[in-house]
Amino acid sequence: MYKHFFKRFFDFILSFIGIIVLLLPMLIIALAIKIDSKGPVLFKQKRVGKNKRYFKILKFRTMRIETPKDAPTHELSDPKKWITKVGGFLRKTSLDEIPQIFNIFVGQMSIIGPRPALWNQDDLVSERDKYGANDVRPGLTGWAQINGRDELEIPVKAKLDGYYVEKLNAGKFKGFLIDWKCFWGTVFSVLKSDGVVEGGTGELKKQKEQSATETKGENSNNE
């Protein structure tokens, strides 16, 4: 009952309230984006939705308009050079995700669920197929987001998404409980900016490996 009715009911009501409450902050953010750089306020991108149907996700634009299209951030050689000044703040605080309340309102997304993959992220979509994570509405935030976010590599992220789907399908109480944990876990993660690494999936691991290599090299030179 929770998965098939109440979850969507809560999404609709909360997103409607969110649109009203956040209207003024969204207008302020839109103005800041326009002042900071040329281009549209909103960024639209094709993503994979429930049952692998495509939809256009909405975000506040955080990157320059000349940024390569449809490229995951972690595939860019130097992601930071494409991010605007206002965009850097929006990404760090996750405020760039606010327009997705409209995606939630119309039923393309849920408040809680696996983060929607890019249309060309075949590796992530394929991994999620193993766990049935493509069969539910993608979310504004989810279990993977409070357990690593940008730090996670694709197999780990997909497995965490699968854990979420397993709990969601286990019964109304367990489904509600996992959503409740994700909601409050996200609040604390955003406040602490946990797991936000420019460069995306697995980037933190790359940085640690590079740091370890550099340290090893320095130690060798000192011997």
Side-chain angles (χ1 to χ4, degrees):
M1 179 65 77
Y2 173 74
K3 175 186 174 181
H4 297 289
F5 177 76
F6 285 108
K7 184 173 174 64
R8 175 58 192 148
F9 175 76
F10 291 144
D11 284 341
F12 180 81
I13 297 298
L14 293 176
S15 61
F16 178 73
I17 295 172
I19 290 171
I20 296 173
V21 172
L22 296 173
L23 183 58
L24 181 57
M26 285 192 287
L27 290 175
I28 294 173
I29 292 173
L31 180 61
I33 291 171
K34 293 299 289 185
I35 293 174
D36 182 46
S37 62
K38 63 180 181 180
V41 168
L42 293 178
F43 172 70
K44 300 178 183 179
Q45 191 176 55
K46 187 163 72 170
R47 295 288 182 114
V48 180
K50 183 179 179 180
N51 298 322
K52 292 190 279 191
R53 294 176 181 172
Y54 296 135
F55 72 100
K56 292 285 187 179
I57 197 173
L58 299 176
K59 290 188 176 187
F60 281 122
R61 180 177 59 82
T62 61
M63 307 186 86
R64 306 185 187 284
I65 57 174
E66 59 268 23
T67 305
K69 305 296 182 183
D70 291 323
T73 307
H74 66 277
E75 290 185 1
L76 297 174
S77 58
D78 184 9
K80 292 183 180 179
K81 79 174 185 179
W82 301 107
I83 300 172
T84 64
K85 292 179 181 178
V86 170
F89 171 76
L90 295 178
R91 291 164 76 95
K92 185 175 182 179
T93 57
S94 297
L95 292 175
D96 60 316
E97 310 284 358
I98 289 178
Q100 287 161 50
I101 58 177
F102 293 101
N103 292 118
I104 297 170
F105 182 73
V106 300
Q108 295 170 328
M109 290 177 61
S110 178
I111 295 173
I112 309 296
R115 283 296 295 163
L118 279 165
W119 66 273
N120 56 0
Q121 283 185 296
D122 297 330
D123 47 359
L124 178 56
V125 174
S126 178
E127 282 292 318
R128 283 177 169 174
D129 270 335
K130 299 177 182 178
Y131 305 101
N134 293 313
D135 301 331
V136 299
R137 283 191 182 90
L140 179 65
T141 185
W143 189 247
Q145 277 58 55
I146 66 171
N147 285 282
R149 201 171 175 177
D150 292 341
E151 301 175 11
L152 301 174
E153 293 182 300
I154 284 174
V156 179
K157 183 179 291 186
K159 190 172 183 179
L160 288 169
D161 290 334
Y163 175 83
Y164 169 79
V165 173
E166 179 185 344
K167 294 299 180 182
L168 186 64
N169 292 332
K172 63 179 182 180
F173 180 74
K174 289 185 178 180
F176 176 78
L177 184 60
I178 192 71
D179 277 358
W180 186 254
K181 288 180 178 179
C182 287
F183 179 83
W184 287 109
T186 298
V187 171
F188 292 122
S189 293
V190 169
L191 290 176
K192 296 188 295 182
S193 296
D194 279 352
V196 180
V197 182
E198 293 302 348
T201 304
E203 186 63 21
L204 189 64
K205 182 179 179 181
K206 296 176 187 176
Q207 292 178 7
K208 288 180 177 178
E209 290 175 348
Q210 182 179 358
S211 178
T213 301
E214 291 174 350
T215 301
K216 183 178 180 180
E218 290 174 359
N219 291 336
S220 298
N221 292 332
N222 292 332
E223 290 177 356

